[in-house]
Amino acid sequence: MKRIGMLEEASYDYILNADYAALLADELGFNPIVDDEAAFDIYPPPPHPSPSSLPSRPPIVTIMGHVDHGKTTLLDTLRSASVAKGEAGGITQHIGAFSVPVKISQGGNMVDASQTITFLDTPGHAAFSAMRARGADITDIIVLVVAADDGIMPQTKEVINLLKKEETHTNLVVAINKVDKPGINTDAVKKALMAEGIQLEEFGGDIPSVSVSGLTGQGLPELVEIISAVAEMQDLRAEQEGPAYGHVLESNIHKGLGSVATVLVRRGSLKRGTQIISGTSHGKIRLMVDSKGVSVATALPGMAVTVSGWKTLPKAGDEVLEGSDADIKKALANRVRKAEAESMQQDIDVINTTRRQERDARAEGNTEGPKPDSDSGPKQVKIFIKADVSGSGEALEGALDGMGNKLVVSKVIATGVGDVSENDVMRAQAANATIVAFSVSVPRAIRTLATRHEVPILTSDIIYRLMEDIRSSLIALLPPII
Ligand code: GDP
């Protein structure tokens, strides 16, 4: 252990070179593999050694609940309450997240706007589910909205199960909504929640609940206060120094600005003019705009800003890192190389599968050429998604991919952003796929083209309707019961 002895003299900020690190791993009984490529990527900064000394940051809050229980209305009311009357611009815009001051405006006068809460309103909340699936749990608090006139419904239970299942630091606040309606009984809802294992404060548990109306604004100041109290207990802090690190909430092509992405800053300060990378997208930040449409030069942890200056469109859920020009260039070259190698491997896999199918078909004496799916595996309904923003595309991909059973299964083969184009129809035809158009338009000429080429196009703004349509396509492919 003599060589380790030498290392003990090194301080915590001592950087080991690859040879030295490999030696140490070897001493400890591991079998190290030195990945030279990895040296050309950049990574999030390591956690701060003494987090309690850091400045506090706003909590990141997501509103969840059953469809029609009033999530959108609640978010809209909170968003407009976040702008004091007479404030510059006074116009809020949808960027996937917005900040609300802890003391919200009552009668037009804003009180103490220094502390804020960041609400996420990413489409279908699924971009954030995708991030969570990848281990990036960006939400500190979930507000579960339950309509008082409807009570606990399937999606309410889904949220409860999600919270029960996960080892998560996320705290829960219950908002019983639509209390402006006549004849509602909030006690019944509370009892039903208790029966589901939600230990409400007023029954001796630790989960706060508040009665609200997203429509009239009743109870919203209390909701904001409760969220802020929960956040205070969580003692949320983040360093503001050093290179910025964050996540893309959503991205789209803006007519004047090109590729834009809403970035939620998690650590450090994101500054105009710096170089950033996300996946294989990169760029120099040209403009940063907050949810009030105000241009900002710096975004601190907990803030969400739309960032323009990207060379290509980044993907919702991907990490964003800031770095020097040289580091970003090296990381980009490395990532592009890796992505190309992966895509080449996928092409090779497709070619191999097709060849295998051809061989199998020949062996069976079938001269009609390859079948769309291998006989050994389940039949497939192939899907090509076109969505309005990459966040909803990801959400849809999560919902539609892998539906079915041992005999028939759905498979998303590609996901893109923007209206359905001629090119999309041709791609779908070549792949024998169904186009799913979510919140995008399908020009009449394109629809005609699709009909001519027998490419089915499903359109809807509602994920579960599209799931139903795909389910019907799967059922249609099932073999007849004899
Ligand atoms: P979401 O599907 O959860 O986003 O629900 P929405 O916000 O779209 O609301 C569904 C319906 O409930 C709409 O017709 C709203 O006007 C209505 N709604 C939402 N919040 C309230 C409320 O607090 N009171 C009443 N009376 N109606 C509400």
Side-chain angles (χ1 to χ4, degrees), residues 361-382:
R362 272 197 302 274
E364 281 175 22
N366 181 349
T367 49
E368 282 172 23
K371 291 182 181 166
D373 311 304
S374 150
D375 274 353
S376 53
K379 288 189 177 170
Q380 285 184 350
V381 170
K382 295 189 183 120

Side-chain angles (χ1 to χ4, degrees), residues 63-76 125 145 149 177-182 212-217:
I63 295 191
M64 299 181 90
H66 194 72
V67 64
D68 280 347
H69 277 202
K71 299 177 294 291
T72 313
T73 310
L74 191 64
L75 280 164
D76 285 347
H125 312 296
V145 173
D149 58 343
N177 195 25
K178 307 197 184 182
V179 294
D180 59 292
K181 282 196 163 182
V212 298
S213 164
L215 206 60
T216 66

Side-chain angles (χ1 to χ4, degrees), residues 11 27 57 86 91 123 133 154 172 235 242 248 262 271 411 422 428 462 480:
S11 62
E27 290 275 5
R57 65 161 175 89
I91 304 159
L172 179 66
D235 194 28
V248 174
T262 301
K271 292 191 195 70
K411 183 167 173 46
E422 188 179 332
I462 299 165

Side-chain angles (χ1 to χ4, degrees), residues 38 64 72 89 101-102 118 177 199 242 269 328 336 345 349 378 384 397 456:
M64 299 181 90
T72 313
V102 165
T118 301
N177 195 25
Q199 310 290 338
S269 307
I328 299 266
V336 168
Q345 187 56 49
D349 290 347
F384 178 11
E397 195 172 327

